[in-house]
Amino acid sequence: MTDAAIHVGGPAELLVGGLAFPEEPRWRADLLWFIDAGANQILAVDEEGREMRRIALDFTPGGLGWLPDETLLVVDVQGRRVVAIAAQGASSSTYADVSRLARLRPNGLCVSRDGVAYVATIGSELRAEEPRPSGNIIQVAPDLRQEVLFEDDIRFPNGISLSLDERRLYVPETFGERVSIFELATGARVVAPVSGTWPDGSCAASADSLWFADAGSARIFRVDHGGRIVETQEFCRRCYAPAMNGRRDRLYAAVADDHGAAARARRTGSIFWKPIPT
């Protein structure tokens, strides 16, 4: 991989610290939502880092998303289902059991503005030997019908997201050292090769680009829809997922020393942010 110029943009600012393992940050209703996968909870903070919501879960969470009626959806990784969280987090129920179509188990989730949920299932364990079985992407329609959209050579899909116009699905492939950009209407696929990286979480960066985190380093890359790396941002620890605020002038990074049990026990997880020119 040829690195683009590194745009540091000043030192990163700490938003939240002391987390077990933060993942899947999402901006919603002027708050940054994210899971703490090492503590089985969902949190939401404002731009000053003040905690506004905390929802305890009795399962290991994966990706987050919202239905048009503001129902919060979260993946139950081991239960192989998508869970709906009631208002104020008072109760939860199964929204979609994806075990029939899942390849191994689900991980990432994103939801379109009209309520279509996209669920990534990983296909192989973290320490599986090569060649790895393909993961897949399951679509859950608002009427709860399920179908597999993409299942050909997707190597551990992780941290999926939608483009700003929701015409494209971004699929980081952690053990493929690449990000796939799928056209939802046609199934066409653009592959952005990023050798030497472990692509993890992603989010839209602009109308024609995305950010993705490299779980093997302290970097977040911006890739255009042609598959070219156009910007790199560096943080202080390994980066697992990015997000942007509503004004699109802040880049958030979920970081930790590592994803393993020892780092989780030390609570090295944090959310940092940097200013980004609009």
Side-chain angles (χ1 to χ4, degrees):
M1 178 185 66
T2 301
D3 283 345
I6 296 176
H7 302 280
V8 177
E13 300 284 343
L14 176 66
L15 187 73
V16 183
L19 304 169
F21 187 65
E23 271 269 38
E24 297 285 336
R26 299 278 192 264
W27 189 261
R28 183 78 173 186
D30 297 325
L31 297 176
L32 184 72
W33 295 74
F34 57 93
I35 64 171
D36 190 347
N40 293 352
Q41 58 187 2
I42 301 169
L43 296 102
V45 300
D46 66 13
E47 285 199 325
E48 303 304 317
R50 293 182 291 254
E51 184 179 309
M52 308 302 289
R53 293 286 303 277
R54 181 186 293 257
I55 301 171
L57 304 170
D58 59 1
F59 56 84
T60 301
L64 295 174
W66 285 264
L67 296 174
D69 66 359
E70 297 301 321
T71 296
L72 172 62
L73 299 183
V74 59
V75 167
D76 174 358
V77 173
Q78 302 298 336
R80 301 198 297 172
R81 62 185 181 136
V82 178
V83 174
I85 306 294
Q88 304 304 315
S91 62
S92 64
S93 60
T94 298
Y95 177 74
D97 182 338
V98 297
S99 59
R100 181 177 63 86
L101 298 179
R103 290 187 171 174
L104 192 60
R105 60 179 174 270
N107 185 10
L109 168 75
C110 59
V111 184
S112 69
R113 287 183 287 271
D114 59 1
V116 178
Y118 301 93
V119 183
T121 75
I122 55 179
S124 64
E125 298 287 359
L126 272 172
R127 293 173 176 81
E129 295 183 359
E130 300 293 346
R132 290 176 178 270
S134 176
N136 69 7
I137 307 297
I138 300 168
Q139 176 182 280
V140 182
D143 63 5
L144 300 182
R145 286 183 297 176
Q146 299 180 30
E147 65 174 310
V148 174
L149 289 187
F150 309 112
E151 59 181 346
D152 181 30
D153 189 26
I154 304 175
R155 303 187 64 202
F156 207 94
N158 209 352
I160 63 174
S161 62
L162 288 161
S163 60
L164 289 180
D165 62 11
E166 300 193 340
R167 294 170 55 188
R168 296 171 177 85
L169 184 71
Y170 303 141
V171 182
E173 298 178 58
T174 301
F175 297 109
E177 299 184 12
R178 65 191 183 190
V179 178
S180 286
I181 302 169
F182 290 96
E183 293 276 353
L184 289 169
T186 66
R189 180 182 193 176
V190 172
V191 174
V194 279
S195 62
T197 69
W198 294 345
D200 203 330
S202 66
C203 71
S206 66
D208 58 0
S209 66
L210 67 132
W211 294 105
F212 79 88
D214 173 19
S217 77
R219 297 176 296 179
I220 291 178
F221 297 96
R222 187 161 65 92
V223 176
D224 68 19
H225 286 168
R228 295 174 293 272
I229 296 172
V230 295
E231 187 176 348
T232 307
Q233 290 284 348
E234 287 194 337
F235 287 82
C236 58
R237 297 199 280 279
R238 285 188 176 187
C239 294
Y240 291 93
M244 296 196 81
N245 64 353
R247 300 185 304 274
R248 314 206 69 76
D249 61 3
R250 281 190 178 192
L251 174 65
Y252 296 97
V255 307
D257 283 352
D258 189 61
H259 67 273
R264 294 181 185 213
R266 295 196 307 272
R267 292 194 166 267
T268 66
S270 302
I271 306 288
F272 281 85
W273 68 272
K274 283 187 176 187
I276 298 294
T278 56

